[in-house]
Amino acid sequence: MHVLHIVGARPNFMKAAPVIRALGGRTIKQTLVHTGQHYDQNMSDVFFSQLELPAPDVNLGVGSGSHAQQTAEIMRRFEPVAHEYRPDVVLVYGDVNSTVAAALVCSKLLLPIGHVEAGLRSFDRTMPEEINRIVTDRLADLLFTPSEDGDENLLKEGVPATKIYRVGNVMIDSLIRLLPSAMRCSRNGFPDRYALVTLHRPSNVDDTASLKSILDALCEVNESLSVVFPVHPRTRQRIADLGTKVERLHLLEPTPYIEFLALQQRAAVVITDSGGIQEETTYLGVPCLTLRSNTERPVTVTVGTNVLVGQDRDKLISELGNVLEGKAKKGTVPPLWDGHAGERIAEIIAQL
Ligand code: UD1
């Protein structure tokens, strides 16, 4: 049995690591392909070392581009690699352009595809990731879901139940494994009490009016609770273009995985438009205010600590007031977010 994993962007790395680790304990050959969608040291290399991922066997070096350019370039460069390695199964992760590009290539080469983190739906097709999720799930042969809503979405779309495996949340596997290291990170240089912010969604940062209104709201938040803000490269560029004064906020470079876990765990509240961070805060029991009007991870709202505030400044400020008064939303951890999702995937693959 030969499994080829394909990863490309920051949120893929913590999802692939536990699966690679779990398969490593079995007599299964593994190949790791990095598309190079994310290429900066602090967006990629540091994640490989902290997550103890093996060095990629192949790096396609695609870099940035428009969605079509990036997707097409990954397909063009991955096809000969898939031909050469001829794996028995290809595992793709999450919902980034690397995920859908690899799935398209493999489906044409008749290579079986396993999609890790299948079935999530925001029902918002203006989000590029939603298109990536729908297409990847349509093409996948094994659909590994993190939660019940994933199964339900797939069944409604006509995916046969025999292809769906509810395995739990692989990203939480990485969190559980590395939380003890995060707890040892220094607190020096950070405020005692703070709001942790991340922002990179095109709908929030590419539109000048939206970005300006979010930054103004964050400056207002900063009056009552210090804002710590590791800035994604695309967001840094957009803030520079806009020229809004943000020097009172505590801006950081994109933060390595373990340090970012520590920042989340110690935050009074997290304000984000990320997908994965909604899940991590739910696991950690930290209040999360999501700057989106929908989520593909509804379980974080129904059972977790997540509140959708969209782009509504008043809602953000009033939810922040709840946090400051100790009345933030409490939550529980969804079933199967237990640190063993990677092992469940390995077991299913070993039985193929
Ligand atoms: C991608 C994913 C998104 C995920 C995010 C996490 C898609 C469609 N989007 O968005 O789902 O939440 O990763 O970070 O795949 N850049 C750098 N260095 C890098 C990578 C990117 O400077 O290492 C800059 C480039 O200017 C690039 C921009 O960031 O054009 C955007 O990168 P891209 O990979 O296109 O999408 P992300 O916004 O990172």
Side-chain angles (χ1 to χ4, degrees):
M1 165 72 78
H2 177 192
V3 177
L4 185 148
H5 309 262
I6 183 151
V7 295
R10 187 168 61 174
N12 291 156
F13 307 138
M14 55 291 259
K15 294 170 193 168
V19 182
I20 294 173
R21 178 173 289 267
L23 286 170
R26 299 167 187 261
T27 49
I28 291 178
K29 176 173 158 43
Q30 302 192 69
T31 300
L32 179 58
V33 175
H34 190 329
T35 65
Q37 176 174 347
H38 284 176
Y39 44 85
D40 283 353
Q41 209 275 340
N42 57 11
M43 297 287 284
S44 176
D45 300 2
V46 73
F47 286 80
F48 271 71
S49 62
Q50 290 197 339
L51 292 159
E52 297 172 274
L53 275 164
D57 298 283
V58 179
N59 192 322
L60 304 176
V62 294
S64 302
S66 71
H67 284 272
Q69 283 166 346
Q70 198 173 50
T71 308
E73 201 53 36
I74 296 167
M75 290 179 68
R76 208 175 63 77
R77 296 189 192 192
F78 179 52
E79 187 180 48
V81 174
H83 259 306
E84 181 190 336
Y85 283 83
R86 277 271 149 205
D88 298 302
V89 182
V90 175
L91 291 184
V92 299
Y93 296 86
D95 57 13
V96 301
N97 287 341
S98 299
T99 313
V100 70
L104 280 163
V105 169
C106 293
S107 62
K108 301 280 178 88
L109 295 180
L110 307 182
L111 292 173
I113 303 162
H115 183 203
V116 179
E117 201 185 77
L120 300 188
R121 296 289 182 271
S122 65
F123 303 101
D124 174 4
R125 290 203 185 189
T126 65
M127 251 183 116
E129 292 81 1
E130 181 74 353
I131 310 294
N132 295 346
R133 290 188 278 263
I134 293 168
V135 175
T136 305
D137 283 340
R138 199 74 202 138
L139 301 176
D141 303 283
L142 304 163
L143 296 104
F144 299 111
T145 61
S147 45
E148 196 178 355
D149 53 288
D151 301 33
E152 286 166 6
N153 292 333
L154 294 171
L155 291 169
K156 274 189 211 142
E157 290 174 17
V159 176
T162 48
K163 288 185 171 185
I164 304 171
Y165 300 88
R166 186 159 353 130
V167 292
N169 193 322
V170 281
M171 204 181 54
I172 300 300
D173 289 11
S174 286
L175 184 156
I176 291 173
R177 194 169 76 79
L178 288 169
L179 196 56
S181 310
M183 306 296 279
R184 291 193 290 274
C185 288
S186 165
R187 288 174 184 269
N188 285 350
F190 294 105
D192 283 344
R193 207 150 183 254
Y194 59 86
L196 176 67
V197 171
T198 81
L199 195 62
H200 74 281
R201 264 309 124 225
S203 55
N204 282 331
V205 304
D206 289 355
D207 179 76
T208 311
S210 299
L211 180 59
K212 174 143 188 11
S213 124
I214 292 171
L215 293 175
D216 288 346
L218 293 178
C219 289
E220 198 175 330
V221 170
N222 196 51
E223 300 291 312
S224 40
L225 189 61
S226 300
V227 166
V228 174
F229 183 3
V231 191
H232 185 285
R234 70 179 297 138
T235 310
R236 188 170 286 276
Q237 188 56 48
R238 298 291 183 270
I239 295 175
D241 296 344
L242 194 64
T244 300
K245 300 255 172 295
V246 287
E247 56 273 348
R248 293 173 71 88
L249 309 182
H250 197 114
L251 301 189
L252 307 174
E253 289 298 314
T255 310
Y257 180 71
I258 291 173
E259 286 75 2
F260 190 74
L261 273 189
L263 280 174
Q264 285 192 80
Q265 210 263 335
R266 294 165 184 169
V269 59
V270 175
I271 301 172
T272 188
D273 61 4
S274 152
I277 294 171
Q278 297 171 45
E279 299 183 335
E280 290 172 339
T281 46
T282 275
Y283 183 84
L284 294 168
V286 173
C288 180
L289 306 180
T290 297
L291 300 169
R292 288 173 46 191
S293 50
N294 54 52
T295 179
E296 64 287 345
R297 294 162 162 91
V299 72
T300 61
V301 176
T302 51
V303 312
T305 56
N306 191 17
V307 177
L308 301 181
V309 297
Q311 293 188 341
D312 182 342
R313 182 201 144 280
D314 293 344
K315 183 138 202 246
L316 174 66
I317 300 296
S318 95
E319 289 293 339
L320 183 76
N322 287 338
V323 171
L324 293 173
E325 289 166 27
K327 291 193 267 177
K329 187 177 176 202
K330 304 265 184 303
T332 56
V333 176
L336 298 180
W337 291 23
D338 58 359
H340 300 291
E343 288 154 31
R344 288 189 276 269
I345 292 173
E347 182 59 33
I348 292 160
I349 289 177
Q351 306 276 329
L352 289 178

